[in-house]
Amino acid sequence: MSDLNEIARSKDLPSSAEDGAESAKRRQILEGARQVFLARGFNGASMGEIAKVAGVSKGTLYVYFESKESLFEALTLEERQSLAEVLFKLDAEDPDVRAVLSKLGDSYLRYMGRPEHISSIRMVVGAAEQFPRLGRSFFEAGPCQGIARLKAYFDRQVEAGRLSIEDTGVAAQHFLDLCVSGLMRRQLFAVGGPPTEAEIRKNVENAMRVFFAAYGPGVQKH
């Protein structure tokens, strides 16, 4: 938001109502960009089409975002950070760790299996070789945020004696990978649709069994 503040200052805009209008316009642009990127992919999207779908002039679009890359990066950061806040809102004091992780696994797998999420991953992978910063931004705003939040939750559970983990960061990655095991790879290659209720339930159950076999309370470490 610092860039927008600089824009506002350069135009001598008031800091209350005008800032609200700036924020609303920015959200309008991001929503238009999201629609175009999902429909066209990163390489197929153009700033002209994004401006049209967002309902703004091309000149206005460039006031907020200097390039397609910066627009995509901003969209990625906002959406992934919001997602992490919603999915990984974990109660560290809840003593029923199995219930907490089961709920997380279910919601995480449901989101990861959404067609628009799969499209986003394909789009980022396709653009990352040409624009490595896009891949890094996507990774840091999404997977890294989720792992960090789950790691913090595991740290508290280890302190409380509810889990036995030496490296909580690795354990967080293990749990999330176990949840999506097999299903996400299938979708990335367009083999079958989103996971069914039965597949979600089975994957989460398997993830819980393997995770607690490795990290449950009292498990001996070598």
Side-chain angles (χ1 to χ4, degrees):
M1 294 300 292
S2 58
D3 291 340
L4 293 185
N5 290 334
E6 290 175 7
I7 292 170
R9 284 195 296 271
S10 68
K11 295 181 178 180
D12 296 323
L13 294 175
S15 60
S16 55
E18 293 285 1
D19 283 350
E22 292 278 297
S23 180
K25 183 67 69 176
R26 187 174 189 274
R27 287 195 300 272
Q28 180 181 335
I29 291 172
L30 289 173
E31 174 56 26
R34 186 183 68 81
Q35 294 179 39
V36 175
F37 281 132
L38 287 177
R40 305 289 189 187
F42 178 80
N43 290 326
S46 69
M47 291 293 268
E49 185 176 7
I50 290 171
K52 182 178 180 180
V53 172
V56 300
S57 69
K58 201 170 180 180
T60 297
L61 180 58
Y62 278 106
V63 168
Y64 286 84
F65 301 99
E66 64 181 15
S67 65
K68 184 171 70 171
E69 293 77 24
S70 65
L71 175 51
F72 182 79
E73 185 174 15
L75 180 66
T76 295
L77 287 171
E78 292 203 2
E79 290 196 344
R80 301 299 145 184
Q81 288 172 349
S82 296
L83 173 65
E85 290 175 3
V86 173
L87 283 184
F88 294 88
K89 192 173 184 178
L90 308 170
D91 182 1
E93 303 309 318
D94 189 336
D96 194 343
V97 180
R98 288 181 179 272
V100 171
L101 292 184
S102 180
K103 181 180 179 181
L104 171 62
D106 182 87
S107 59
Y108 182 74
L109 189 48
R110 288 179 190 278
Y111 176 82
M112 294 296 285
R114 290 168 56 186
E116 56 267 36
H117 176 70
I118 298 299
S119 295
S120 293
I121 294 176
R122 292 196 190 109
M123 180 169 53
V124 172
V125 170
E129 185 173 358
Q130 185 178 2
F131 302 103
R133 193 179 74 178
L134 297 182
R136 184 170 60 253
S137 295
F138 186 94
F139 182 73
E140 291 176 351
C144 287
Q145 286 285 329
I147 290 171
R149 287 171 178 264
L150 187 53
K151 177 186 184 303
Y153 172 78
F154 285 160
D155 285 339
R156 180 67 188 95
Q157 305 318 306
V158 170
E159 291 175 5
R162 299 173 188 138
L163 291 173
S164 179
I165 303 174
E166 291 182 352
D167 189 327
T168 52
V170 170
Q173 182 69 73
H174 283 171
F175 179 74
L176 298 179
D177 286 347
L178 285 168
C179 287
V180 299
S181 179
L183 296 181
M184 188 173 168
R185 186 182 302 112
R186 180 191 76 189
Q187 284 185 271
L188 285 173
F189 289 98
V191 180
T196 64
E197 291 292 327
E199 288 174 328
I200 291 173
R201 183 171 60 255
K202 182 178 179 181
N203 260 47
V204 173
E205 288 175 353
N206 287 339
M208 296 287 288
R209 183 173 64 253
V210 174
F211 181 84
F212 278 95
Y215 300 117
V219 173
Q220 296 296 316
K221 304 301 179 185
H222 301 287

